[in-house]
Amino acid sequence: GHGRLPGWSTSARWRGLPKTTSARSSASLLAPARSFRPFSPMPMIDSHSDIPTTLILGGTTEASRLAQAMAEAGWPALLSYAGRVATPRAQPVPVRVGGFGGAEGLATFLRDKRIGQVIDATHPFAAQISRNAVRACTMADVPLCAFERAAWTAGPQDDWTHVPDITGAVAALDGPGKRVFLAIGRQHLASFSHLAQHRFLVRLVDAPAPEFPLPDAQIVVARGPFRLEDDLDLMRAHGTELLVTKNAGGTGAEAKILAARTLGIPVVMIDRP
């Protein structure tokens, strides 16, 4: 249908199949063997045995909300994680963790598991899995819906330096030492390890491994979504002078952007791939 989950600031578009996105055609894709009454926000269906399983490519707040909504409606779904977080949230639907082996592996999985449709609700920077999903769904002749968060945009009070990628962010820090809130996740932290002049603050979902690439960094272990008040307190307590972050968009991680705006802290913003 055309409904939107509460609190979502996303848009949805079909990639590949199907060619139309009307409520009627979307309903027929989800349950082709049933005769549907007019759609409502929570369809009342007596039996779901004829509805094919939806594969949700997740790892985001939106994917978890979608899984919850489908579970409440009784619609079969499988939520897939890449496995970058050691302790993912408990989910109300079955969960799969790990890669598929590229587009070909994902296409095989879709056929073998008789997946009826795929929803790409991955992080905006998870470009590879999104590309693989397009190719795999084309090969397996399975419809694909992609949810995309609206990107953050700078306001008149913001002081943003846009860079195209991690390499650009590293180059932007080639200067005098500052207290830097490095809010980029853990995957690319090693790229900043040679910038010893800076005092880094890093926030992680999981506790750091012994071989953490920034041994002198201040580390906060916490799971979002985060509140503005908390990020204001965090940046003040650590004397943050510069924020480095990816343009993830959405509301779950927006608090640091709002806090930097409130405190007048410059931002190195890594644009989306």
Side-chain angles (χ1 to χ4, degrees):
H2 290 167
R4 182 176 297 177
L5 292 178
W8 280 37
S9 56
T10 61
S11 61
R13 71 173 186 270
W14 286 102
R15 288 176 172 158
L17 297 171
K19 298 301 183 184
T20 60
T21 57
S22 67
R24 183 180 300 276
S25 62
S26 298
S28 66
L29 285 166
L30 287 173
R34 293 190 62 86
S35 60
F36 271 74
R37 290 170 289 183
F39 259 32
S40 64
M42 186 63 71
M44 300 303 294
I45 303 175
D46 297 328
S47 172
H48 304 287
S49 60
D50 56 347
I51 300 179
T53 297
T54 297
L55 175 64
I56 304 172
L57 302 177
T60 59
T61 301
E62 290 86 353
S64 296
R65 290 177 179 170
L66 178 59
Q68 180 66 44
M70 294 190 74
E72 291 175 355
W75 291 47
L78 173 64
L79 180 58
S80 174
Y81 285 124
R84 299 195 185 279
V85 177
T87 56
R89 296 180 186 275
Q91 297 292 341
V93 300
V95 171
R96 180 191 183 278
V97 178
F100 292 94
E104 292 76 10
L106 177 54
T108 299
F109 180 87
L110 299 178
R111 298 187 192 102
D112 290 348
K113 301 300 182 182
R114 301 181 182 274
I115 299 297
Q117 49 274 325
V118 177
I119 298 178
D120 179 2
T122 56
H123 192 277
F125 280 75
Q128 187 60 56
I129 182 60
S130 293
R131 285 192 291 265
N132 287 346
V134 173
R135 291 181 56 205
C137 288
T138 300
M139 288 187 285
D141 196 26
V142 172
L144 168 66
C145 181
F147 284 94
E148 295 186 338
R149 298 174 182 169
W152 295 321
T153 56
Q157 295 176 293
D158 292 312
D159 179 9
W160 289 10
T161 298
H162 287 272
V163 295
D165 48 29
I166 291 292
T167 301
V170 171
L173 267 62
D174 185 15
K178 294 182 179 180
R179 291 182 174 271
V180 180
F181 184 5
L182 195 56
I184 61 169
R186 63 180 175 86
Q187 187 176 4
H188 298 288
L189 292 177
S191 300
F192 297 83
S193 60
H194 66 285
L195 298 171
Q197 74 271 31
H198 298 299
R199 180 66 168 168
F200 289 113
L201 167 66
V202 179
R203 183 163 59 193
L204 303 173
V205 175
D206 299 309
E211 63 276 12
F212 190 71
L214 303 174
D216 296 327
Q218 297 171 291
I219 301 172
V220 175
V221 178
R223 188 191 297 269
F226 302 102
R227 301 185 309 163
L228 172 59
E229 294 79 5
D230 295 333
D231 277 4
L232 284 171
D233 290 343
L234 179 67
M235 292 187 186
R236 286 171 176 147
H238 291 272
T240 298
E241 298 172 287
L242 180 67
L243 170 65
V244 180
T245 189
K246 299 176 179 180
N247 196 334
T251 59
E254 188 181 22
K256 60 180 177 286
I257 304 298
L258 302 178
R261 178 181 300 163
T262 301
L263 299 174
I265 295 173
V267 177
V268 174
M269 182 62 71
I270 303 172
D271 292 330
R272 294 180 177 185

